[in-house]
Amino acid sequence: MAHETIHTDGTQDPMNVTNPEHAQRHIVRPLQYTYVFGTLLLFTGITIGVAYIDLKWANPVIALGIACFQATIGILFFMHVAYQSRLIKITIGVGFFLFLVLVTMTMGDYVSRAWGMW
Amino acid sequence: MDNALASTGLTTQPAPDPHPHETAVHAEHEHVALPQHRHHFETEEQQREAGSFGMWLFLVTEIMFFGGMFFAYLLYRNWYYPAFAAASSQLSVPLGGTNTAILITSGFCMALGVWAAEVRRRKMLVVTLILTTLFGLAFLGIKYDEYHEKYELHHIPGNNFNVSQFVNPAAYGIKEEPLAPDMAQKTQIFFFLYFAMTGMHAVHLIIGIGLLFWLTWRAHRGDFSSGYVAPIENFGLYWHFIDIVWLFLFPLLYLINRHPLH
């Protein structure tokens, strides 16, 4: 009986036992995948086009910005993170944050050395 | 608070089932009968959540793995920018761009495959997995062509590396500023990172294609068309992750300096 009805709003499971992570099943529809697919292709075209325009320092910034945008919609919709539990969302966020911490600390070491002065 | 909720929940429950024993046994049986459900998980939702969580922890370690190489790229690009710009311009944007589109299409097929498994369409799942594999193989084919061109031009780092295209580009009909010989040697660092990063990316693809053969066979057998989606979904996460790594590799390696002033 306990397994028959599982809802994630807590009304059927006040002690939070059967589904403690509040996992929800969400099936992403093919139409939505098609939108994401089109957007990824479109922005690949944009990133190639922009690379041929001289924008000085802004070129790598725009290229990385587009790549980050593409990665974000890929992670949210192709990889279903938009519909995952908070536990998984936070874990992924922590992963990227930790990577940024490591890059920042290593860069801090790199820029603060007296290169060529010893 | 929990007790209060529980007691209000009790008051709203419908009248007792006239055949409580039968219903309970049915529900219990139906649940336990699913072959993929492991007894140490309370519910299938919990099992699936634990699986996704584990897969994501693995992918986070993969971010760190590729992240190390991206960091090396960041440092050396700042250090030897002229060499990186000149070497990057020797890569083919049409081939790289085509490969990007192929990989995105492969990811789209994989996403459709996850949907097909969710709605229990066996044939569609098999077809989407085969398409995913074919696009993955097409990517590797183009990658092989690019590697082969670098081999012929002696642009693979090592003893046979040839800097002549970079110190005297005009002789090869290349409209780039010539590099000083010491800076031209640093193009080896770009090509080393190019082969290391795209090579590790390709290794991930080859592993993925191996897994796809196995998953396609199992999907054909009907393993994933009766509500057991987790292997397809978790493989999909891996495959999309590889796509996303490439979405960063492509602009960083191919598009550094495509707008020479002259």
Side-chain angles (χ1 to χ4, degrees), chain B residues 5 18 45 86 92 119 127 139 190 201 226 260 262:
Chain B
L5 277 171
E45 280 80 0
S92 163
V119 299
V127 168
F139 179 94
F190 173 85
H201 178 263
S226 54
H262 41 80

Side-chain angles (χ1 to χ4, degrees), chain B residues 196-209:
Chain B
M197 296 170 95
T198 60
M200 280 321 299
H201 178 263
V203 166
H204 278 76
L205 271 183
I206 290 166
I207 293 171
I209 287 169

Side-chain angles (χ1 to χ4, degrees), chain A residues 18 59 61 72 79 81 107:
Chain A
T18 57
N59 275 108
V61 175
T72 305
M79 299 170 91
V81 170
M107 279 306 274

Side-chain angles (χ1 to χ4, degrees), chain A residues 71-103:
Chain A
T72 305
I73 62 168
I75 288 170
L76 284 180
F77 303 111
F78 272 6
M79 299 170 91
H80 308 150
V81 170
Y83 313 104
Q84 295 284 18
S85 67
R86 265 187 214 165
L87 174 70
I88 289 181
K89 283 179 185 158
I90 290 170
T91 304
I92 298 162
V94 165
F96 280 103
F97 180 70
L98 182 59
F99 173 62
L100 282 182
V101 168
L102 292 174
V103 169

Side-chain angles (χ1 to χ4, degrees), chain B residues 19-68:
Chain B
H19 307 290
H21 180 69
E22 278 176 33
T23 327
V25 166
H26 177 68
E28 195 76 11
H29 177 75
E30 191 177 57
H31 191 76
V32 175
L34 291 170
Q36 68 271 20
H37 183 226
R38 305 289 176 182
H39 71 274
H40 50 272
F41 291 105
E42 283 275 345
T43 61
E44 267 210 87
E45 280 80 0
Q46 193 195 45
Q47 175 173 345
R48 199 166 162 172
E49 170 79 2
S52 300
F53 182 65
M55 192 65 206
W56 271 106
L57 285 184
F58 166 66
L59 293 181
V60 167
T61 69
E62 289 274 76
I63 294 170
M64 298 299 163
F65 171 71
F66 279 100

Side-chain angles (χ1 to χ4, degrees), chain B residues 89-169:
Chain B
S89 296
Q90 292 312 304
L91 300 177
S92 163
V93 172
L95 290 180
T98 306
N99 251 355
T100 308
I102 286 175
L103 214 52
I104 292 171
T105 311
S106 179
F108 175 60
C109 293
M110 189 63 228
L112 289 180
V114 174
W115 178 78
E118 291 273 20
V119 299
R120 307 183 182 196
R121 292 192 189 178
R122 188 176 69 93
K123 275 185 185 167
M124 188 188 168
L125 173 61
V126 171
V127 168
T128 53
L129 289 180
I130 289 172
L131 286 173
T132 306
T133 311
L134 289 178
F135 283 114
L137 288 170
F139 179 94
L140 288 176
I142 291 180
K143 205 73 226 153
Y144 169 78
D145 186 47
E146 289 186 274
Y147 279 9
H148 186 246
E149 190 227 4
K150 295 292 160 250
Y151 171 77
E152 290 188 323
L153 292 172
H154 292 277
H155 282 172
I156 296 176
N159 280 341
N160 292 321
F161 192 82
N162 186 347
V163 294
S164 53
Q165 275 200 5
F166 302 110
V167 290
N168 191 9

